[in-house]
Amino acid sequence: MCTRVLWNTNDVAVFTGRTMDWPESTQPLIVGFPRGRERDGISPAGFISDSNPLRWTSRHASLVTTIYGLGTVDGFNEAGLAGHGLYLQETDFGPRDPAKPGVHAGLWLQYLLDQAATVAEALQLMDEIQVLKISAHGHDANLHLALEDIGGDSAIIEFAQGRLVVHHGRQYTLMTNDPTYDEQLKLLSQQDFSQPSSEMPLPGNVNPVARFQRAAYYSALLPAPGSQREAIAGVMAIMRNVSVPFGAPYHDFGVYNTEYRTVTDLTNRMYFFELTTSPNVIWVEMDRLKLDGGPIAVNPYDDSLVGDITDRFAPHDLPF
């Protein structure tokens, strides 16, 4: 369970917020990957097997948040492409086509960040590969992706009944979870939350439909920012509003607590991260990272982290 909000209509920068909602810690690391890294679509070694794995060498450096040490679920690259993997129960990647190189769902986003500079380029890459279903820690990686680029372009990528479904355009700024994006848009059209008023009833539930509608309502109310600081605060406020608080029996209806929130500033290549169990917001300036060697990383569960953590990154071995 997660939420993504893109703000591509202000005069300051292109901003995206996301929440990570999950039944347990995803063991996140904030990682800087250099360009030129060789990868394959079934790493770590022995995690899954496939007769035709995708193999590539990264064209772009990236700054990402990893999940379970097995792949990437959020982040952006130096060229100005960002992406976010969210859960979609109805995901169906379809039967294996052995003629297409395969990449497992945990590395799907990382592949696109490694190789594409824009949303359009990323969509072209989708014609050449097949995403493979995996499970980790007892959970299926039923993902759909939201992509955006420094020009404000956006796309939502899903697999429904084994078929690739893409919504491509600047207008696709919101995403949560089930139902599929077609159905979410139909539900949103029943009441125009993009035209908020004080009389409009606003859903307060934590389910994906309510969060989608609430994100639409508050996104429409964002004031024109006078600075990057104001814009970041505005997006983070929405992400807090659509987060799932601790304490209620959400597991009973398939919704989980929010583990962390991120805000990406694509224009200035900055990444803001808020762990829900910490009172501190931390951030990274990608342009200051030393990405001329191997991967470098920070563990956001380090209680000493606060503010700018760009200088706190250290070499870190990852299996992908």
Side-chain angles (χ1 to χ4, degrees), residues 36-320:
R37 186 168 177 81
E38 294 184 359
R39 286 192 167 97
D40 67 76
I42 59 173
S43 289
F47 179 52
I48 64 170
S49 60
D50 190 77
S51 60
N52 184 20
L54 180 68
R55 302 184 189 278
W56 73 95
T57 302
S58 61
R59 297 174 52 205
H60 307 294
S62 58
L63 177 63
V64 303
T65 298
T66 63
I67 181 168
Y68 293 135
L70 300 173
T72 293
V73 75
D74 193 73
F76 66 103
N77 67 21
E78 62 184 341
L81 176 69
H84 321 274
L86 280 65
Y87 187 80
L88 179 67
Q89 178 63 42
E90 295 188 44
T91 294
D92 177 4
F93 295 121
R96 182 72 174 103
D97 178 359
K100 286 189 172 184
V103 56
H104 76 65
L107 289 177
W108 177 19
L109 175 57
Q110 186 63 57
Y111 169 67
L112 298 179
L113 294 179
D114 280 353
Q115 303 304 90
T118 65
V119 169
E121 285 186 16
L123 295 179
Q124 288 179 347
L125 292 175
M126 290 303 304
D127 294 332
E128 305 169 4
I129 64 170
Q130 181 168 17
V131 182
L132 310 178
K133 182 176 180 177
I134 59 165
S135 297
H137 289 231
H139 305 287
D140 291 337
N142 294 333
L143 296 180
H144 57 167
L145 294 188
L147 302 175
E148 66 273 352
D149 62 33
I150 198 169
D153 196 9
S154 175
I156 310 299
I157 308 176
E158 296 180 342
F159 285 88
Q161 299 178 339
R163 183 173 62 90
L164 178 66
V165 180
V166 176
H167 293 80
H168 182 195
R170 295 176 60 91
Q171 69 271 33
Y172 300 116
T173 59
L174 309 175
M175 189 168 86
T176 54
N177 313 108
D178 293 82
T180 60
Y181 206 67
D182 283 329
E183 291 300 315
Q184 286 278 26
L185 294 176
K186 288 179 183 178
L187 290 170
L188 189 65
S189 68
Q190 295 173 9
Q191 186 167 4
D192 189 1
F193 288 95
S194 66
Q195 300 293 326
S197 70
S198 59
E199 291 78 27
M200 179 179 289
L202 189 62
N205 210 316
V206 295
N207 64 51
V209 172
R211 285 184 281 113
F212 195 104
Q213 294 172 341
R214 210 155 61 248
Y217 181 95
Y218 285 109
S219 293
L221 288 173
L222 279 170
S227 66
Q228 181 206 40
R229 182 184 181 92
E230 289 181 9
I232 293 293
V235 176
M236 188 65 83
I238 294 177
M239 305 327 295
R240 290 168 180 154
N241 185 282
V242 297
S243 292
V244 181
F246 295 103
Y250 302 119
H251 288 226
D252 294 348
F253 45 97
V255 177
Y256 306 112
N257 298 331
T258 297
E259 181 183 17
Y260 62 79
R261 294 173 278 264
T262 70
V263 175
T264 300
D265 176 347
L266 266 181
T267 304
N268 297 293
R269 299 204 291 190
M270 295 182 67
Y271 193 58
F272 296 77
F273 189 103
E274 182 179 53
L275 194 68
T276 55
T277 55
S278 170
N280 300 331
V281 175
I282 57 179
W283 62 85
V284 186
E285 295 183 32
M286 187 181 188
D287 290 346
R288 289 174 43 217
L289 290 177
K290 297 178 174 61
L291 296 176
D292 51 1
I296 54 177
V298 162
N299 184 347
Y301 277 92
D302 181 345
D303 290 338
S304 70
L305 298 177
V306 61
D308 185 351
I309 63 166
T310 307
D311 295 331
R312 298 290 297 272
F313 280 71
H316 193 96
D317 289 330
L318 283 103
F320 67 90

